[in-house]
């Protein structure tokens, strides 16, 4: 009986040590390096969720890449949600304009205006699920979308 209690106590101590090391490391990794997110809705069709309601893509979100604002036109990004409404807006320095692929079904800069770079959360780099769609996400610009340049620039 005493031997079984000693084994149980050692096991519990080893578990606690591992737990109190692994949890902070995992939380830091998920917060600062990368995490996985499920894409819901039609806002990013056809790039993500092309089957509509039948499927939800799961993507890898790279936090590390956005720490230095290494994003370009056509990248798929995740944002901290905000609210604002404008039609024609000059995007100020330190801000960006974001749009979903499925125009009219996206809650994007057309609804809330320019986004501060500080609200940039992550850059989607890969589709992880479903397995038949497993691939790297490339930056693609629709040919009909282009920036409006003014004479001020």
């Amino acid at each position: 009986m005493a031997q079984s209690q000693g084994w149980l106590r050692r096991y519990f101590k080893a578990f606690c040590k591992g737990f109190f090391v692994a949890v902070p490391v995992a939380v830091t990794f998920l917060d600062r390096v990368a995490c996985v997110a499920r894409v819901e809705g039609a806002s990013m069709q056809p790039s993500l969720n092309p089957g509509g309601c039948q499927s939800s893509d799961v993507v890898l979100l790279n936090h590390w890449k956005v720490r230095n604002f290494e994003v370009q036109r056509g990248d798929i990004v995740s944002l901290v949600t905000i609210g604002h409404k404008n039609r024609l807006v000059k995007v100020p320095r330190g801000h960006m304009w974001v749009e979903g692929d499925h125009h009219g079904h996206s809650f994007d800069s057309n609804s809330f205006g320019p986004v501060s770079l500080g609200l940039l959360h992550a850059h989607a780099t890969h589709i992880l699920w479903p397995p038949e769609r497993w691939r790297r996400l490339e930056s693609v610009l629709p040919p009909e979308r282009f920036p409006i340049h003014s004479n001020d620039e």
Side-chain angles (χ1 to χ4, degrees):
M1 185 73 164
Q3 283 184 339
S4 66
Q5 285 181 342
W7 177 84
L8 188 60
R9 184 172 288 149
R10 283 195 312 266
Y11 178 78
F12 183 72
K13 285 174 90 175
F15 173 80
C16 287
K17 284 181 183 178
F19 180 80
F20 288 116
V21 170
V23 169
V25 169
V27 168
T28 301
F29 181 85
L30 294 173
D31 188 47
R32 298 291 180 190
V33 179
C35 67
V36 174
R38 187 170 151 208
V39 179
E40 296 181 8
S43 67
M44 290 305 298
Q45 288 178 344
S47 296
L48 300 173
N49 291 347
C53 298
Q54 296 88 357
S55 67
S56 288
D57 286 344
V58 175
V59 296
L60 178 67
L61 296 177
N62 183 337
H63 296 288
W64 197 258
K65 191 170 182 179
V66 299
R67 290 175 60 102
N68 296 322
F69 308 112
E70 297 173 12
V71 293
Q72 56 188 348
R73 289 191 75 220
D75 284 349
I76 298 173
V77 296
S78 170
L79 302 171
V80 176
T81 308
I82 58 173
H84 180 269
K85 180 99 173 152
N86 275 328
R87 282 311 301 147
L88 187 60
V89 177
K90 181 176 179 175
V91 179
R93 194 181 263 329
H95 290 69
M96 63 185 164
W97 189 265
V98 294
E99 292 188 6
D101 282 359
H102 198 173
H103 191 67
H105 290 79
S106 294
F107 185 62
D108 55 18
S109 287
N110 291 307
S111 302
F112 51 73
V115 177
S116 167
L117 290 176
L119 295 175
L120 190 60
H121 177 253
H123 176 242
T125 58
H126 295 81
I127 296 177
L128 302 177
W129 193 262
E132 63 272 7
R133 293 191 25 80
W134 192 25
R135 65 181 171 91
R136 187 177 202 296
L137 291 170
E138 301 294 333
S139 296
V140 178
L141 292 173
E144 70 276 3
R145 302 255 178 115
F146 53 89
I148 299 174
H149 296 288
S150 67
N151 295 334
D152 300 341
E153 294 179 28

